[in-house]
Amino acid sequence: MTGALRLVLGDQLTRGVAALQDLDPARDVVLMVEVAEEARYVRHHKQKIAFLLSAMRHFAEDLRTEGVQVDYVRLDDPANSHSFTGEVARALARHRPDRLICTEPGEWRILQMMELWQADLPLSVEIRADDRFFCSRADFAALHRAGKTKRMEFFYREMRRRTGLLMTDDGPVGGQWNFDPENRKPLPKGLRPPRRDRFAPDTLTQEVIALVAARFPDHFGDLEPFGWAVTRAGALQALEHFLSDCLPFFGDYQDAMKTGEDFLFHSLISPYLNCGLLTAAEVCDRAVAALGAAPLNAVEGFVRQILGWREFIRGVYWTEMPDYPATNALKAGRDLPAFYWTGQTEMRCMAECIGTTRRHAYAHHIQRLMVTGNYALLAGIAPAQVEEWYLAVYADAFEWVELPNVHGMVLHADGGRIGSKPYAASGAYIDRMSDYCKTCRYDPKQRVGAKACPFTTLYWNFLIENAPRLRANPRMALPYRHVTAMSDGERAAIQAEAARHLSDAAPPRQAGFEGLW
Ligand code: FAD
Ligand code: DLZ
Ligand code: SF4
């Protein structure tokens, strides 16, 4: 062969991805590989593995239909070495290409791997920038040097100016950059979220589901019912369904939670965006075009998540790696309780959020941030264990987006790189934004006693324990005024209640949970 070998990874399923630009179908071969190492380096949710493998197989089929030569290595190929490096080496021997072309990956770990290929392999290895983001790594680094990436909000305004999204000649549409204060309403009685499009598995997806069931039976999560789209056409249908039926309500109820409502008005598009079936630019363009049918607070709120948060998070990942995960500003070190894997807990809110995670490999942002994340923050759980959980359990989780959200936004382990203060909240927040507390055996108002809500107890305990690190933060002044107003006896009672709760939250590395790590 005299052409190029072009590698496409499982989260690079975009026809226009950098490695496929200038593809010559007559001479080049596209390489795609299913490898167990990627499913096992953390034990990904079964549905996440099935989603990605099925999306990869459909993508390969589409390329073949176009006349592109695809070398696709399946998971059950007996000769499969089950690592990217092993499969690239085998493919080089099969095809003897004149160069290998890759797109930069979404993880530091894989970038290191690709750089070793550049050093070790006897041919030219090109790693192309991933241009599916609004802000390239180089652009973010330049903004960072210019001091414009300290907070998401300022970065977001810069991105609005650069892209022209929701801008007029005089400034932001509606005269304001951000309508977040309008977006914090609990779900009113009687408002029912729409039924969501779920996608019945076709024959190919059914084959993948059987394969995953056989190969990864010990991984977290339900495999069926499987409802994710696995093609670009399906992902586009999901996007249009969201825009017409959910976007008008997205802003108002973005932070709401309700028992039995797994999706509310959220878009459910993060798995599609992150694996490449949809692009951020087309999603934002379609959302802006829906302005009018959907109010400005909804459209702006949605665009901010993608143009602002998603791009900011990625920029932070690449500018802070590889040292980022080693920081532990709050010196958190407790083990992750077993109920994160089993969902068996009397805390109604945790059981609900872990339940939706098991069923769909999905939970919406506030469930991740203010319930499962908030508990991990308040309980002082070791960042690496929390990060492993989040990377494993969500269909949209890739390290570039999972790590800063967990390490920074949730755990404040980065000392404030992502957020100027921890998002710590007591049971009162969950009570205000959901109906979970109504059916819980705990009372969100109680911080000590038999009915004390663990979130409320742990919230005050968190403030007391972390006073040396957080008291001086001006944004924490109000809660610390309450801590100061407490008597020594009240503080001691809270600490004793917290210690009781934390020792009851059984440590995970015993009683048969070892297999889940
Ligand atoms: P919507 O609520 O409809 O939002 C629209 C889109 O905005 C999302 O699809 C997503 O692409 C983007 N977005 C919103 N918030 C963020 C954010 N904070 N960071 C990056 N993108 C954002 N998102 C992931 O894509 N992968 C992860 O592994 C991931 N881990 C998270 C872990 C924690 C602890 C927290 C607090 C958030 C995490 N997020 C992650 C962000 C967010 O929760 C999900 O993107 C969102 O819940 C996906 O559901 P949706 O598509 O229905 O989103
Ligand atoms: C997550 C994942 C899984 C489970 N399996 C594969 C696979 O078999 N082949 C593949 O190319 N990619 C897979 N992925 C996604 C990779 O882990 C992803 O490309 C890296 O995490 C970089 O973001
Ligand atoms: Fe969660 Fe506390 Fe409310 Fe129970 S009372 S649902 S533990 S916040």
Side-chain angles (χ1 to χ4, degrees), residues 151-163:
R151 289 288 164 248
M152 192 289 291
E153 184 62 29
F154 297 105
F155 167 78
Y156 166 58
R157 291 179 191 182
E158 179 69 22
M159 295 307 293
R160 291 268 296 273
R161 286 189 204 97
R162 284 186 181 200
T163 59

Side-chain angles (χ1 to χ4, degrees), residues 78 183 293 346 433 466:
N183 292 0
E346 292 186 297
M433 297 310 300
N466 285 291

Side-chain angles (χ1 to χ4, degrees), residues 225-300:
F226 181 95
W228 295 104
V230 289
T231 60
R232 174 156 166 80
L236 282 169
Q237 183 187 326
L239 172 64
E240 294 305 320
H241 167 55
F242 163 73
L243 293 170
S244 60
D245 293 12
C246 303
L247 182 61
F249 303 92
F250 176 84
D252 287 356
Y253 307 116
Q254 203 178 335
D255 289 3
M257 297 177 280
K258 187 169 164 55
T259 306
E261 293 290 353
D262 294 336
F263 308 129
L264 292 167
F265 300 101
H266 291 272
S267 66
L268 317 184
I269 60 164
S270 50
Y272 311 138
L273 273 172
N274 295 352
C275 82
L277 294 180
L278 296 176
T279 66
E282 73 187 342
V283 170
C284 288
D285 285 346
R286 294 289 301 123
V288 171
L291 188 61
L296 182 55
N297 71 309
V299 174
E300 186 282 317

Side-chain angles (χ1 to χ4, degrees), residues 400-417:
W400 67 266
V401 55
E402 169 273 330
L403 183 66
N405 269 299
V406 179
H407 196 79
M409 191 185 299
V410 160
L411 298 178
H412 205 69
D414 61 1
R417 174 68 190 89

